[in-house]
Amino acid sequence: MRIDILTLFPEMFSALQGSILGRAQKQGKIEINIVNIRDYTLDKHLKCDDYPFGGGAGMVMMPQPIGSAIESIDPNHDAWRIYMSPKGGVLKQQKVFELIEREWLILLCGHYEGVDQRVIDLFIDEEVSIGDYVLTGGELPAMVLTDCVSRYVDGVISTGSLVDESFSDNLLEYPQYTRPQEYKGLCVPEVLRSGDHAKVDAWRRERALEITKKCRPDLLNK
Ligand code: ADE
């Protein structure tokens, strides 16, 4: 899978170089390209934002640098183009499953008061929000989306981890334990040390149900 991220703040994306996503990129399983929108401005002072027509606080990202970046990267509109925005549909696991079917995503990150509406009207397929709160920009949301989509690319993480995790079967994940057997007076449940796989599976299913009922009962009604 290929993901191109358009931003005015490319330095923020060093977080994607570490851990599992860093390794997946080195192994060629995913390609993540960070594109600096400023490289595409035709303004001699490299300006990419301006005051909003009609007045109001803050600055708005101008259409030309973003439009030129998208037209140059994806001239035939082969990618699925997403604008990270609090106005979009809220990202849920089901949306992640839809997005992994796409071979190529372009994620546009707004900053300040967002982007000129004509960019959205002309170039964007979908707006996606990562939750009902407003962040300073779309960079962290783009990293969130990139992370949760990349996990499902073949070979990025073990399939076992994907089967048992939260939201599969609309259940939250059961609790996990590792060594030591006792920590500050709390012991690992006996059943997990029994070696009886059927019993372990049943215990995990019960705990998953219990936790989902307690923390996210809405998931059980789906
Ligand atoms: N940009 C600012 N806030 C956002 C959010 N909640 N989701 C996606 N993009 C955003």
Side-chain angles (χ1 to χ4, degrees):
M1 166 166 253
R2 169 176 170 183
I3 303 179
D4 291 34
I5 303 176
L6 275 59
T7 174
L8 282 176
F9 300 93
E11 67 282 359
M12 288 180 73
F13 290 88
S14 56
L16 298 180
Q17 294 313 317
S19 186
I20 296 172
L21 294 200
R23 193 177 58 216
Q25 288 174 83
K26 282 191 198 105
Q27 293 172 341
K29 294 190 170 124
I30 46 175
E31 180 187 341
I32 301 175
N33 302 311
I34 309 299
V35 178
N36 190 346
I37 294 169
R38 208 174 294 283
D39 292 343
Y40 293 86
T41 180
L42 299 177
D43 182 87
K44 62 174 188 253
H45 304 295
L46 304 184
K47 200 172 149 70
C48 289
D49 58 345
D50 212 331
Y51 296 99
F53 275 117
M59 303 291 271
V60 176
M61 286 167 68
M62 296 156 85
Q64 178 276 313
I66 300 172
S68 298
I70 294 177
E71 281 172 336
S72 134
I73 294 165
D74 180 25
N76 301 318
H77 201 157
D78 295 314
W80 185 250
R81 302 166 175 178
I82 296 174
Y83 174 47
M84 305 309 305
S85 156
K87 291 185 204 161
V90 176
L91 184 63
K92 298 264 168 66
Q93 195 65 31
Q94 186 50 42
K95 173 57 68 182
V96 175
F97 291 143
E98 277 170 47
L99 293 178
I100 51 176
E101 298 302 324
R102 311 247 173 216
E103 276 167 27
W104 181 13
L105 300 177
I106 290 181
L107 309 182
L108 170 63
C109 307
H111 221 88
Y112 318 115
E113 292 304 309
V115 303
D116 186 301
Q117 181 62 36
R118 290 165 292 182
V119 163
I120 299 168
D121 297 343
L122 287 169
F123 298 108
I124 295 298
D125 296 311
E126 182 176 20
E127 294 182 60
V128 173
S129 162
I130 62 159
D132 291 340
Y133 40 79
V134 181
L135 298 160
T136 53
E139 282 75 13
L140 290 170
M143 285 189 249
V144 168
L145 196 152
T146 299
D147 186 287
C148 53
V149 165
S150 300
R151 298 175 72 247
Y152 292 94
V153 172
D154 270 353
V156 171
I157 55 176
S158 76
T159 37
S161 315
L162 299 174
V163 170
D164 279 346
E165 68 188 4
S166 290
F167 303 112
S168 58
D169 287 347
N170 277 331
L171 290 179
L172 299 180
E173 199 186 0
Y174 48 79
Q176 297 276 19
Y177 296 87
T178 184
R179 286 191 289 182
Q181 284 182 22
E182 189 198 322
Y183 176 67
K184 291 188 187 282
L186 296 185
C187 291
V188 175
E190 197 63 45
V191 60
L192 297 180
R193 295 189 282 121
S194 67
D196 184 331
H197 293 300
K199 273 195 189 151
V200 169
D201 286 349
W203 181 89
R204 286 179 164 166
R205 180 102 195 145
E206 275 168 35
R207 295 292 80 72
L209 261 167
E210 192 175 277
I211 292 164
T212 311
K213 253 185 219 159
K214 182 166 167 239
C215 304
R216 290 291 306 276
D218 56 301
L219 291 175
L220 294 172
N221 302 326
K222 285 191 180 157

